[in-house]
Amino acid sequence: MVDETPLMKQYGEIKNQYQDSILFFRLGDFYEMFYEDAKLASKELGLTLTKRNKKMDVPLAGIPYHSASSYIAKLVSKGYKVAICEQVEDPKEVKGIVKREVIRVITPGTVIDTEYLDEKNNNYLMGIIIKDKSIGISYVDITTGEFKTSKIVGGNLIYKLMGEINKIFPKEIVIDEKSYGIIKNELESSRIFENLNITKVQNIKNPEKYLLEYFDIKSLDSFGIKNLDEIIQICATTLKYVVDLQKGNELPISKISYESTDNIMELNLTTQRNLDIVENYKGNDTGTLLGILDFCKSSMGSRLLKKIVKNPTLDIDEIHKRQNHIEYFIKEVLVREEIREKLKEIYDIERIIGKLTLETVNGRDLVALKESMRNILEIYKVLIDNNSDILKIDVDKIIEIYNLIEKVIIDEPPFSIREGGFIKDGYNTELDELRNIAEHGQDYLLKIETEEREKTGIKALKIKYNKVFGYFIEVTKANAELVPDYYIRKQTLVNAERYIVPELKEYEDKILNAKNRIATLEYYLFKEVVGEIKNYTQMLQDLSDKISYLDVISNLAYIAIKNSYIKPEIADDGTIEILGGRHPIVEKLIPAGEFVKNRVMLNSKKDFIILTGPNMSGKSTYMKQIALIIIMAHMGSYVPADYAKISLTDKIFTRIGASDDLLTGQSTFMLEMSEVANILNSATDRSFIILDEIGRGTSTFDGISIASAITEYIHDKIKAKTIFATHYHELTELGERLERASNFRIEVQEKDNKIKFLREIVQGGADKSYGIEVARLAGLPKEILVNSKKILNILEERKNIIERNFGVEQMMLFGGSPEVNDTKEEIENRENIETATSEERKVIDILKEIDINNFTPMEALLKINELKKILN
Ligand code: ADP
């Protein structure tokens, strides 16, 4: 049934244009939602669902307009779009139905109300387009005006795209029609980006023209994107999407920054996650590198640090610059601490600038901006007094902004800018006068009354008020002849005459309207100041970049001292040498001082390490710590080591344990192999690769063959610096045979048949499996351990026979069945088996049948138990 009142007709017409949004329809002091929107909103927001028109049965839910923002934030954070429809005419001045229009649409990636955003994260909207052999991406944060774009080329594009998405961490993605299907599929199947909001958009016909007009420029050369078709296309598409949602409201976007990925270390999605660089979509940042490093004092600093952590630079000058600045703040402890104290008092200038343009700024924001200017000047002074030129600012301009606000806005303004009460006295004469009238209106009338009495000599002259005439002067009939010419007679009563004078009417207007006029005038004056500050947008954006940088650098200096980091030497000769290295995250998770430091030496002569050691001995920790130290060095940060020389590293790859993945069986192996394939296709001789237990997802022989072949391929063809951790001691043979490879192991101490983890890396390969000892450490019952040992001995015996028969190398790479030359020992062995009891033979048969690779530890224990029962 359709409610066809004019209002609902209007609603229907508007809703038709915004079908994918929840329509907030303004009705007086409420935003109302109808039909499906009402049902949805009542479910998501816990609102009462009522009916607009009992007969017509229209579902309705409403919220008071002044508390709308929290409801909008809630819906948007759940991925909905909200269209705000306002009354655009004054209801008092129209007959019939008021005109209504949608004034803004808010989506997860285009939230403007920063109150509900996480201050340490940008709120990005990302655009993606696939074109031939490249992918164009762009991302924009409309609360700060940051608008960036870059291009993905070469290698596995989708892999790289996933890496970028994880870095940018958008709240919403827009994809053009043609690329939509492919990307949506990939995102959905990756299962990592489950909660991402994806919107399909149309490409713009003439994207270049659109951008030129929007930025009012002659050529895209100034942004460095001329002739980059996919970039121009995606920038225009993304920009148009956000512009359209604003319905004509201005945005703080003033330029496009093209980011070449050439100078940034490539960290794909898997690597970012394996190394716990920053939090993922589900978690927070505890236990991540960012969590260890981020003690920034401002949210702008935290946001910049996050970008630096995700984008280690390959620009050696930039690294040196950051190192030198950190060094300064390490030496100048007092300067650093004083500055960090003041940084705490600097507000989110970047977002305040955004609010200026988006017109969501209020008096409190301006006072915050003013206070920030004062603190920046104080920081500047501290630095200058201490001979540092790290902060280069235009002092005069900052003072101008400070004064502009100081002169106009009171120190503690109310939240709303609509009701007045925030402009300083003495700033505007008209306002002062109005306030005076509003507060002292009665006194003014008395003053006029006294003046008129004196002028006319009529003692009984009175100023009175009624609804018909407003204020008037009343004079008794007896005194009527004393009334001057300029009195205008309005009414004659029996005993009195009533007059008005222009002055009185002027005051009447003022008193009656003072309150409204004050609010309007203050709002106007506020907009005027905002307009003036807007002229400083570019300068303020630069300033916020500098302050963020200062925060990050002084923070990294603080962290370096707090965590005993040292300055790494940056090289370009392929050397990676770390002495006394530590894992920045793990060292925080175990009791202080217990972390065992380790060294590594990789260079063009020795670039491949085969690392053996029992489970839990510290192999992953060791490899990851090297990767993290490399990343930190490329951030310009100090690193957890006693000494480090780090060569520029273009990419870091990690392939870590198949068992870490939630997937199972064959698909795990597929996943593992496709990741390895990606590494092999993308790595260069300047890359660093971590391989942890490759080949685990398949049978032992398969695993060893593949692991060996991969090792040789990387060693011979790619020459990337690589550490390969494995529990196949067979691989140590390669460490001896390949020229640039070497074997290392994690030292364990065996005493009285017990094993102690020393966590120390030493040269040479391990030759034993320590699994059973680890099981003992874990507290498994003794019986089981004894039995495991027996079984292990049998298995090893069998393995030796096979190895001797086939030759390790052949076995690993080709299989095949060369001639069998039994040794005396083997013959004895077989004889032993032949003379075994029937129980023992049964056990042997069962063991033969077992496919270890398809066994969980629990199943293994159960099996051992079963075998034991047979023997008993
Ligand atoms: P693996 O990869 O060999 O199975 P891990 O690297 O996961 O072993 O290390 C297991 C645990 O040992 C870590 O969680 C950590 O608590 C501890 N550990 C690793 N390396 C060290 C070290 N160098 N110093 C102290 N404890 C360490």
Side-chain angles (χ1 to χ4, degrees):
M1 256 193 280
V2 183
D3 176 354
E4 266 310 335
T5 59
L7 184 84
M8 289 315 285
K9 196 160 166 267
Q10 185 189 42
Y11 172 83
E13 282 162 11
I14 297 176
K15 176 67 197 176
N16 255 342
Q17 299 165 42
Y18 295 93
Q19 294 189 7
D20 64 343
S21 306
I22 297 176
L23 187 67
F24 273 38
F25 191 72
R26 181 75 179 261
L27 267 180
D29 283 345
F30 282 82
Y31 286 115
E32 305 285 15
M33 284 149 275
F34 300 108
Y35 300 108
E36 289 311 305
D37 284 359
K39 290 186 196 162
L40 202 145
S42 81
K43 189 177 99 220
E44 297 287 6
L45 302 172
L47 303 174
T48 327
L49 191 64
T50 55
K51 289 199 174 103
R52 166 163 171 85
N53 180 332
K54 295 264 152 49
K55 267 187 276 161
M56 294 298 188
D57 211 14
V58 177
L60 160 81
I63 48 161
Y65 85 98
H66 54 78
S67 54
S69 41
S70 66
Y71 290 110
I72 296 172
K74 213 166 185 181
L75 288 174
V76 170
S77 73
K78 292 184 177 203
Y80 297 107
K81 297 179 180 174
V82 177
I84 312 290
C85 175
E86 291 291 354
Q87 298 172 173
V88 291
E89 290 175 326
D90 186 345
K92 284 183 218 130
E93 286 169 14
V94 236
K95 274 199 192 138
I97 198 153
V98 194
K99 200 168 156 203
R100 288 182 174 80
E101 270 170 19
V102 169
I103 53 124
R104 188 169 252 146
V105 180
I106 300 160
T107 69
T110 60
V111 173
I112 54 169
D113 198 342
T114 51
E115 202 188 327
Y116 299 97
L117 291 178
D118 175 4
E119 54 180 26
K120 287 194 173 186
N121 279 308
N122 279 98
N123 199 64
Y124 287 126
L125 170 90
M126 181 178 184
I128 305 175
I129 188 170
I130 303 182
K131 264 221 165 152
D132 307 329
K133 293 205 168 78
S134 66
I135 294 181
I137 59 172
S138 66
Y139 51 103
V140 55
D141 181 344
I142 66 167
T143 66
T144 63
E146 179 182 351
F147 189 12
K148 294 210 165 114
T149 180
S150 67
K151 189 170 157 176
I152 302 175
V153 281
N156 185 327
L157 290 178
I158 293 292
Y159 256 91
K160 288 189 176 177
L161 175 65
M162 296 297 155
E164 286 308 306
I165 296 176
N166 202 51
K167 276 189 191 174
I168 295 164
F169 225 66
K171 289 287 151 55
E172 184 180 358
I173 295 186
V174 291
I175 307 176
D176 80 282
E177 290 160 306
K178 280 194 204 132
S179 321
Y180 182 78
I182 307 173
I183 299 173
K184 193 168 170 30
N185 265 345
E186 289 292 340
L187 287 172
E188 276 170 4
S189 62
S190 86
R191 309 208 306 191
I192 295 159
F193 304 113
E194 271 166 1
N195 300 324
L196 254 176
N197 302 286
I198 307 172
T199 308
K200 183 158 59 171
V201 286
Q202 283 189 339
N203 270 333
I204 294 189
K205 290 265 150 46
N206 193 341
E208 181 156 2
K209 183 161 166 271
Y210 183 83
L211 292 177
L212 292 176
E213 279 172 9
Y214 179 88
F215 292 104
D216 193 17
I217 47 173
K218 293 259 156 2
S219 152
L220 290 177
D221 252 348
S222 51
F223 298 149
I225 59 170
K226 199 166 166 58
N227 301 329
L228 297 178
D229 288 349
E230 64 278 63
I231 294 285
I232 296 172
Q233 182 69 61
I234 196 58
C235 285
T237 304
T238 314
L239 187 62
K240 183 166 186 307
Y241 178 74
V242 286
V243 166
D244 286 352
L245 295 180
Q246 303 311 309
K247 306 282 156 204
N249 297 304
E250 211 183 327
L251 282 165
I253 304 164
S254 55
K255 62 170 194 264
I256 300 176
S257 312
Y258 177 59
E259 305 241 294
S260 156
T261 41
D262 297 349
N263 254 347
I264 292 171
M265 182 193 287
E266 186 182 318
L267 298 169
N268 64 23
L269 173 61
T270 324
T271 303
Q272 292 172 44
R273 302 185 88 213
N274 281 339
L275 296 178
D276 297 314
I277 294 175
V278 300
E279 82 278 19
N280 56 41
Y281 267 89
K282 284 173 191 133
N284 58 25
D285 67 5
T286 42
T288 65
L289 180 61
L290 184 69
I292 300 291
L293 297 181
D294 184 11
F295 284 74
C296 285
K297 293 290 182 183
S298 70
S299 38
M300 295 186 293
S302 292
R303 292 201 296 266
L304 176 63
L305 181 61
K306 189 176 238 181
K307 285 173 207 168
I308 290 179
V309 173
K310 289 176 177 180
N311 298 290
T313 176
L314 302 181
D315 177 346
I316 198 161
D317 295 334
E318 177 65 25
I319 298 177
H320 281 144
K321 185 189 91 182
R322 293 180 195 169
Q323 285 186 338
N324 292 339
H325 286 150
I326 294 173
E327 190 165 33
Y328 171 82
F329 281 121
I330 286 180
K331 285 196 191 123
E332 300 289 343
V333 185
L334 294 178
V335 178
R336 182 184 76 227
E337 285 318 304
E338 198 173 345
I339 283 179
R340 278 170 59 79
E341 269 308 299
K342 292 193 192 303
L343 279 167
K344 225 167 40 188
E345 304 300 320
I346 293 184
Y347 295 83
D348 201 334
I349 311 175
E350 213 182 2
R351 282 200 166 147
I352 297 179
I353 307 163
K355 287 178 163 187
L356 287 168
T357 315
L358 294 164
E359 313 220 333
T360 52
V361 74
N362 62 27
R364 291 185 188 179
D365 294 321
L366 291 196
V367 172
L369 186 61
K370 181 186 84 172
E371 281 308 302
S372 303
M373 294 302 117
R374 190 167 57 75
N375 280 300
I376 290 173
L377 289 173
E378 284 176 12
I379 288 176
Y380 180 70
K381 185 166 182 311
V382 174
L383 287 168
I384 292 293
D385 289 350
N386 288 281
N387 308 317
S388 165
D389 61 356
I390 177 170
L391 183 63
K392 295 191 178 75
I393 51 170
D394 188 335
V395 173
D396 292 340
K397 287 228 165 83
I398 294 180
I399 296 178
E400 277 167 34
I401 296 175
Y402 180 89
N403 287 338
L404 212 58
I405 302 169
E406 166 68 14
K407 201 167 64 182
V408 188
I409 311 288
I410 64 168
D411 286 347
E412 284 177 22
F415 191 76
S416 164
I417 48 165
R418 293 286 179 177
E419 277 140 43
F422 51 86
I423 302 280
K424 278 192 172 168
D425 285 334
Y427 173 65
N428 177 285
T429 26
E430 190 186 348
L431 180 65
D432 289 349
E433 213 174 285
L434 284 167
R435 281 183 176 160
N436 213 354
I437 292 168
E439 280 166 36
H440 308 289
Q442 220 47 40
D443 300 350
Y444 267 98
L445 290 174
L446 286 177
K447 198 175 129 232
I448 297 177
E449 198 177 67
T450 323
E451 278 170 8
E452 291 305 316
R453 278 183 192 166
E454 277 166 12
K455 271 195 243 163
T456 56
I458 307 172
K459 291 237 169 58
L461 180 148
K462 276 196 182 118
I463 292 183
K464 289 189 169 175
Y465 176 83
N466 76 16
K467 276 207 178 132
V468 185
F469 299 116
Y471 288 99
F472 53 83
I473 297 173
E474 193 175 282
V475 176
T476 53
K477 276 263 162 69
N479 287 320
E481 73 233 36
L482 293 173
V483 167
D485 297 347
Y486 64 88
Y487 273 38
I488 304 159
R489 182 161 35 216
K490 273 284 167 194
Q491 197 181 16
T492 304
L493 304 179
V494 185
N495 291 323
E497 296 285 349
R498 288 176 170 176
Y499 304 90
I500 53 165
V501 290
E503 200 191 355
L504 191 58
K505 280 294 130 188
E506 258 169 45
Y507 266 102
E508 178 184 306
D509 269 1
K510 282 187 180 170
I511 295 169
L512 295 180
N513 294 324
K515 272 228 144 77
N516 277 341
R517 303 236 341 250
I518 286 171
T520 317
L521 181 57
E522 285 205 36
Y523 184 69
Y524 171 81
L525 294 172
F526 182 79
K527 290 277 159 194
E528 211 173 50
V529 187
V530 168
E532 279 185 69
I533 301 174
K534 265 202 222 165
N535 295 330
Y536 294 85
T537 300
Q538 190 60 50
M539 176 256 165
L540 281 170
Q541 264 164 355
D542 286 350
L543 186 63
S544 70
D545 288 348
K546 287 174 183 164
I547 295 301
S548 318
Y549 177 76
L550 187 68
D551 194 8
V552 166
I553 291 297
S554 52
N555 165 70
L556 288 177
Y558 165 79
I559 295 293
I561 296 295
K562 177 170 167 267
N563 296 343
S564 309
Y565 293 169
I566 54 101
K567 176 159 96 173
E569 196 180 308
I570 306 296
D572 206 9
D573 62 359
T575 311
I576 304 264
E577 186 180 359
I578 300 169
L579 300 178
R582 283 132 43 211
H583 190 298
I585 307 166
V586 174
E587 72 167 340
K588 295 279 178 193
L589 300 175
I590 59 177
E594 283 191 14
F595 193 90
V596 179
K597 297 175 178 183
N598 270 310
R599 71 191 161 91
V600 68
M601 177 70 189
L602 288 162
N603 54 36
S604 46
K605 292 205 181 85
K606 283 283 174 195
D607 57 20
F608 202 109
I609 291 177
I610 292 173
L611 180 65
T612 37
N615 281 340
M616 290 304 285
S617 62
K619 297 186 297 297
S620 319
T621 307
Y622 174 70
M623 293 190 292
K624 287 182 186 174
Q625 100 189 15
I626 298 168
L628 288 168
I629 289 176
I630 295 176
I631 289 174
M632 291 169 78
H634 285 72
M635 287 167 54
S637 168
Y638 279 34
V639 299
D642 296 337
Y643 168 83
K645 180 174 177 184
I646 307 292
S647 286
L648 290 178
T649 303
D650 64 352
K651 306 167 191 195
I652 294 182
F653 294 98
T654 58
R655 171 55 231 170
I656 293 181
S659 56
D660 293 349
D661 293 300
L662 296 169
L663 306 164
T664 50
Q666 185 59 24
S667 54
T668 311
F669 186 60
M670 267 300 287
L671 186 78
E672 178 178 344
M673 285 303 119
S674 66
E675 278 190 26
V676 171
N678 175 51
I679 297 175
L680 299 181
N681 289 329
S682 319
T684 75
D685 59 351
R686 298 172 75 209
S687 307
F688 178 66
I689 306 176
I690 293 178
L691 300 173
D692 197 351
E693 305 284 16
I694 295 272
R696 223 188 199 174
T698 182
S699 75
T700 313
F701 285 179
D702 257 9
I704 296 177
S705 341
I706 290 168
S708 309
I710 290 170
T711 301
E712 295 209 32
Y713 186 86
I714 295 176
H715 178 272
D716 295 345
K717 301 256 165 55
I718 303 179
K719 302 188 171 69
K721 274 162 220 50
T722 306
I723 306 187
F724 191 154
T726 177
H727 67 287
Y728 298 135
H729 354 111
E730 290 84 350
L731 287 193
T732 55
E733 185 271 340
L734 287 178
E736 280 155 24
R737 188 163 58 78
L738 300 177
E739 189 194 346
R740 295 189 319 285
S742 36
N743 285 315
F744 280 84
R745 66 174 187 277
I746 306 216
E747 197 67 317
V748 282
Q749 200 179 52
E750 242 187 315
K751 214 176 159 191
D752 306 334
N753 239 355
K754 286 183 188 166
I755 168 173
K756 190 177 169 217
F757 290 129
L758 299 179
R759 315 240 180 254
E760 211 167 296
I761 307 290
V762 293
Q763 188 131 23
D767 54 4
K768 265 200 160 186
S769 165
Y770 295 94
I772 297 174
E773 276 73 10
V774 175
R776 191 190 57 75
L777 284 180
L780 287 193
K782 204 166 168 201
E783 265 179 272
I784 295 181
L785 298 171
V786 170
N787 265 316
S788 310
K789 276 215 163 147
K790 275 192 199 156
I791 296 168
L792 179 72
N793 287 339
I794 298 170
L795 286 172
E796 282 193 338
E797 210 44 68
R798 290 182 58 211
K799 200 177 101 202
N800 286 341
I801 296 169
I802 297 168
E803 277 180 14
R804 246 170 282 130
N805 287 344
F806 292 90
V808 176
E809 209 175 316
Q810 274 179 328
M811 173 197 80
M812 287 190 303
L813 300 178
F814 308 110
S817 57
E819 273 173 44
V820 179
N821 292 315
D822 289 357
T823 61
K824 188 168 156 262
E825 207 182 333
E826 282 150 15
I827 295 168
E828 269 173 25
N829 241 319
R830 241 179 294 142
E831 279 166 2
N832 276 344
I833 293 173
E834 272 151 26
T835 57
T837 63
S838 67
E839 285 79 16
E840 282 168 349
R841 228 174 286 136
K842 201 167 170 195
V843 169
I844 293 168
D845 288 343
I846 293 175
L847 281 171
K848 279 184 189 160
E849 292 299 312
I850 289 175
D851 177 1
I852 297 173
N853 294 301
N854 283 327
F855 255 42
T856 65
M858 199 57 212
E859 283 165 345
L861 288 178
L862 293 172
K863 193 50 98 184
I864 292 171
N865 211 16
E866 184 189 319
L867 297 178
K868 198 176 161 263
K869 274 191 194 146
I870 296 173
L871 289 174
N872 284 342

